[in-house]
Amino acid sequence: MATINDNYLKLKAGYLFPEIARRVKTFAEANPDAKIIKLGIGDVTEPLPEACRTAMIKAIEDMGDRGTFKGYGPEQGYEWLREKIATHDFQARNCDVDASEIFVSDGAKCDTGNILDIFGKNNKIAVTDPVYPVYVDTNVMAGHTGEVNDKGEYEGLVYLPINAENNFIAEIPSQKVDIIYLCFPNNPTGATATKDYLKNWVDYAKANGSIIFFDAAYEAFITDSSLPHSIYEIEGARDCAIEFRSFSKNAGFTGTRCALTVVPKTLTAKASDGSDVELWKLWNRRQSTKFNGVSYIVQRGAEAVYSEAGKAQVQALISFYLENAQIICDKLKGAGFEVYGGVNAPYIWLKTPHNLSSWDFFDKLLQTANVVGTPGSGFGAAGEGYFRISAFNSRENVLEAMKRITSQFHL
Amino acid sequence: MATINDNYLKLKAGYLFPEIARRVKTFAEANPDAKIIKLGIGDVTEPLPEACRTAMIKAIEDMGDRGTFKGYGPEQGYEWLREKIATHDFQARNCDVDASEIFVSDGAKCDTGNILDIFGKNNKIAVTDPVYPVYVDTNVMAGHTGEVNDKGEYEGLVYLPINAENNFIAEIPSQKVDIIYLCFPNNPTGATATKDYLKNWVDYAKANGSIIFFDAAYEAFITDSSLPHSIYEIEGARDCAIEFRSFSKNAGFTGTRCALTVVPKTLTAKASDGSDVELWKLWNRRQSTKFNGVSYIVQRGAEAVYSEAGKAQVQALISFYLENAQIICDKLKGAGFEVYGGVNAPYIWLKTPHNLSSWDFFDKLLQTANVVGTPGSGFGAAGEGYFRISAFNSRENVLEAMKRITSQFHL
């Protein structure tokens, strides 16, 4: 008899965003005239940069000629793309990251989930609470947790609460953990990390032989020049951190699909016999065996992000979304909401009014303002009573959504 | 201390194709004037069909307009693509497969590896020998095996030998296994399966509660109209089989990346409490959590495979490669080689001459004829003494390769 991975049965009902989609669909069917504005899922809305489109059309033309046709590419990504990433994203910020340490993939969601493949079953795992649900769910699937409790917390995981009291910055735990997920600028709270703060984590990780999974998917939104974009801006991080990045939120690749993961060749973890094993070798083996590289066409599009035109077009996109974020913050604050984030990040994190639960506020916002956001409790127990608004939409929709919200809520 | 997944340390040195690439690179550097012809890795060489390119360029234009821009798509693939797949690939052959049972992905290699995520640790796994190495390696990584022996066999796996004596068709095992990998038309041997033969497997699987992983990546090469293209042409298969397909080998998408997996909603496996759990739900949860869908642009390219123009262009590609296969078979047989496959498949499987080992013949072929093939032993212990030649190349290169081989080998 074939048997299933029982760990899947521990997972709570639905992944957050499908549940939102379900409620929105139900509401839309019952209210066909409602003009729903979605500021929920962190999905970009503006056109793909012209430089990327031009490069992809050229790549398609390459595919039409036997002499320039591309079949299987390197599982790790093409050298020309990896070199550009290394130069522009890392070496330009004095990070010691080589092209050979970069693995191009089809998504940071995939990579942050798949990375667990190369780690052992008995690592003590820490996540912030609230947190991007994929970190938690993939650990549940991998059997790294026990059952879930009524608050949505899984036995065995270490939850590091982030809230208004600690400025949404997790304290370094007193207990020893083996793997820590950090995401800055933060999804969902929009909080940022200083170099000093990250240095404390690097020191902790090095002292304890821990690995930091650093999710920098939103680094392009950093406007404060003192803030680090990469964990590798911190001395010692090459010995304790893996970094995840994406073209989704800077160049608008959510539907085009390209991302990357950095695994420094200096990074090791322990085998059960106590020996140190290079994680680069394991990840390289994993990707060579279970992945076949990103579409040549898409990689050419990603490469164009680093052209002069591409850089300017990406910067214009980022500025546009950050202006949206500014408008959201201003309008909501003006209406009396308690608001966080939205300065170096495309997410605004707010306290729900009248002590509403996150899902009650979700339903109320949908019903009265026809605006979709994301319930904070969907990101973890400590997100209860909070709510995420995304700045990814047209200016017109953002203004209209704020008009509707501020006319419905006077706090 | 963070620990690694020790199972990775059981893996033999390199995945087969990187090792081939290494030897070819060494030879090429030492012999810069050698015109090496690669008939090794199963990678297509001819231009992408015009219908696919046109559709992808249109999709890129969609991405340039706010009104038609696509962000995150469904993790399972767009409905319009899944409907076309269901209609043309399955329902047209009287297979009871619905669009909702199709999961579009970026590669069959990924899917055949990732599918293990949803299964338990104690399933008894059967593979043919020789076999596509990814099936074995991903089971090793998942901890489903013990150590490897000198012949390259992993403890705990059930190997079903395929060889000239059984026409490269595995016998149904007498022992009970829980998961069986079948690939028809077969990689690497080019063997095919009749409906009667597959019916025996379906009956076996249903009697034992086993699941068949059916890899149909090469179904487009079937020319014999009596042969099944899908396991779902066999009565009862919906209750015991998952099927993997790809656009790589029919439409030349090896560098463009699109594939699909069918998980029937009627398919179940056992939880540890003995209850039956729908595998569709688990795979849907896996894909929703650890995957973010295939590039919109690529999915539009895949959709065009089902247009009238696309169908004709794909058929022309298939015919071209099959003519190559015919030439290879004829020439090698003429030179006295013992040759299999190559009729309903793009692979020719040959017995190495003079009882050379597979790798010795690889080296000899590379050195004397400057032709690259794939050592049979790379596909498993029982592949020793065999060799795979791929029909994926230009006519000119195939003719030249055959000229060189037949001038070097007189058997």
Side-chain angles (χ1 to χ4, degrees), chain A residues 1-5 8 43 46 48 63 66 72 109 117-118 120 123 178 209 255 270 286 288 296 394, chain B residues 1-5 8 12 43 46 48 63 66 72 109 117-118 120 123 178 209 255 270 286 288 296 394:
Chain A
M1 290 284 195
T3 57
I4 63 153
N5 175 355
Y8 274 66
D43 194 3
E46 302 309 301
L48 213 57
M63 292 301 233
R66 199 184 187 284
Y72 291 121
K109 186 184 181 189
D117 282 12
I118 64 169
N123 289 298
D178 302 308
K270 291 284 180 196
R286 194 267 170 213
S288 301
Y296 168 70
S394 69
Chain B
M1 290 286 192
T3 57
I4 64 153
N5 175 355
Y8 275 65
K12 281 181 300 176
D43 194 3
E46 302 308 301
L48 212 58
M63 293 300 233
R66 200 186 186 284
Y72 292 122
K109 185 185 182 189
D117 282 12
I118 65 169
N123 289 299
D178 302 308
K270 292 284 180 196
R286 194 266 170 214
S288 300
Y296 168 70
S394 68

Side-chain angles (χ1 to χ4, degrees), chain B residues 24-38:
Chain B
V24 171
K25 193 177 172 209
T26 304
F27 178 79
E29 283 168 1
N31 301 274
D33 295 333
K35 290 194 172 142
I36 297 171
I37 297 175
K38 294 184 182 178

Side-chain angles (χ1 to χ4, degrees), chain B residues 203-280:
Chain B
D203 290 344
Y204 169 90
K206 290 187 71 170
N208 291 292
S210 324
I211 305 286
I212 297 169
F213 290 170
F214 191 77
D215 186 344
Y218 298 94
E219 59 77 31
F221 292 88
I222 293 175
T223 52
D224 180 340
S225 63
S226 74
L227 296 176
H229 287 237
S230 167
I231 187 83
Y232 304 115
E233 293 182 49
I234 313 304
E235 198 189 330
R238 280 182 60 84
D239 301 323
C240 64
I242 290 172
E243 181 163 308
F244 304 94
R245 288 206 177 191
S246 172
F247 293 94
S248 285
K249 309 298 165 86
N250 55 358
F253 271 43
T254 53
T256 302
R257 314 301 313 139
C258 200
L260 61 112
T261 289
V262 180
V263 185
K265 290 190 172 170
T266 43
L267 191 62
T268 62
K270 292 284 180 196
S272 59
D273 66 2
S275 63
D276 294 309
V277 178
E278 291 172 36
L279 293 174
W280 183 93

Side-chain angles (χ1 to χ4, degrees), chain A residues 9-227:
Chain A
L9 305 181
K10 297 175 191 164
L11 289 163
K12 282 183 299 179
Y15 178 64
L16 174 60
F17 295 108
E19 173 60 19
I20 291 174
R22 196 188 62 74
R23 293 197 188 203
V24 172
K25 194 178 171 209
T26 304
F27 177 80
E29 283 168 2
N31 301 274
D33 295 333
K35 289 195 173 141
I36 297 170
I37 297 176
K38 295 185 182 177
L39 302 175
I41 190 167
D43 194 3
V44 297
T45 56
E46 302 309 301
L48 213 57
E50 194 271 336
C52 302
R53 285 183 279 124
T54 303
M56 288 197 285
I57 288 172
K58 167 74 173 57
I60 290 173
E61 287 164 3
D62 291 347
M63 292 301 233
D65 182 312
R66 199 184 187 284
T68 50
F69 176 80
K70 296 285 182 302
Y72 291 121
E75 289 96 345
Q76 302 83 356
Y78 280 100
E79 189 71 15
W80 36 259
L81 176 56
R82 304 165 86 194
E83 287 287 355
K84 292 225 171 49
I85 294 167
T87 304
H88 294 267
D89 285 338
F90 296 101
Q91 290 159 12
R93 298 193 67 84
N94 291 318
C95 300
D96 178 17
V97 170
D98 183 80
S100 66
E101 298 173 319
I102 291 165
F103 293 82
V104 176
S105 84
D106 67 323
K109 186 184 181 189
C110 317
D111 285 355
T112 52
N114 292 335
I115 194 74
L116 294 176
D117 282 12
I118 64 169
F119 286 92
K121 293 293 170 205
N122 297 317
N123 289 298
K124 182 61 89 177
I125 313 275
V127 293
T128 62
D129 181 7
V131 74
Y132 179 48
V134 166
Y135 308 157
V136 172
D137 288 0
T138 53
N139 273 289
V140 177
M141 291 171 170
H144 297 169
T145 74
E147 298 294 335
V148 69
N149 67 18
D150 291 343
K151 290 161 70 187
E153 295 163 337
Y154 288 92
E155 192 190 338
L157 286 187
V158 175
Y159 289 93
L160 308 175
I162 53 177
N163 48 45
E165 285 71 54
N166 60 20
N167 278 317
F168 302 98
I169 294 292
E171 281 166 41
I172 308 283
S174 49
Q175 74 181 109
K176 227 177 108 168
V177 300
D178 302 308
I179 291 173
I180 312 111
Y181 290 79
L182 295 178
C183 174
F184 291 108
N186 187 248
N187 176 15
T189 69
T192 53
T194 63
K195 284 188 185 176
D196 286 347
Y197 174 72
L198 291 183
K199 183 70 168 70
N200 290 338
W201 272 115
V202 167
D203 290 344
Y204 169 90
K206 290 187 70 171
N208 291 292
S210 323
I211 305 286
I212 297 169
F213 291 169
F214 191 78
D215 186 343
Y218 298 94
E219 60 77 31
F221 292 87
I222 293 175
T223 51
D224 179 340
S225 63
S226 74
L227 296 175

Side-chain angles (χ1 to χ4, degrees), chain A residues 340-361:
Chain A
Y340 305 93
V343 178
N344 295 286
Y347 295 127
I348 293 86
W349 187 246
L350 55 90
K351 191 84 197 68
T352 58
H354 313 306
N355 287 318
L356 286 171
S357 80
S358 297
W359 276 110
D360 283 350
F361 183 65

Side-chain angles (χ1 to χ4, degrees), chain B residues 128-148:
Chain B
T128 62
D129 182 6
V131 74
Y132 178 48
V134 165
Y135 307 158
V136 173
D137 288 359
T138 54
N139 273 289
V140 177
M141 290 171 169
H144 297 171
T145 74
E147 298 294 335
V148 69

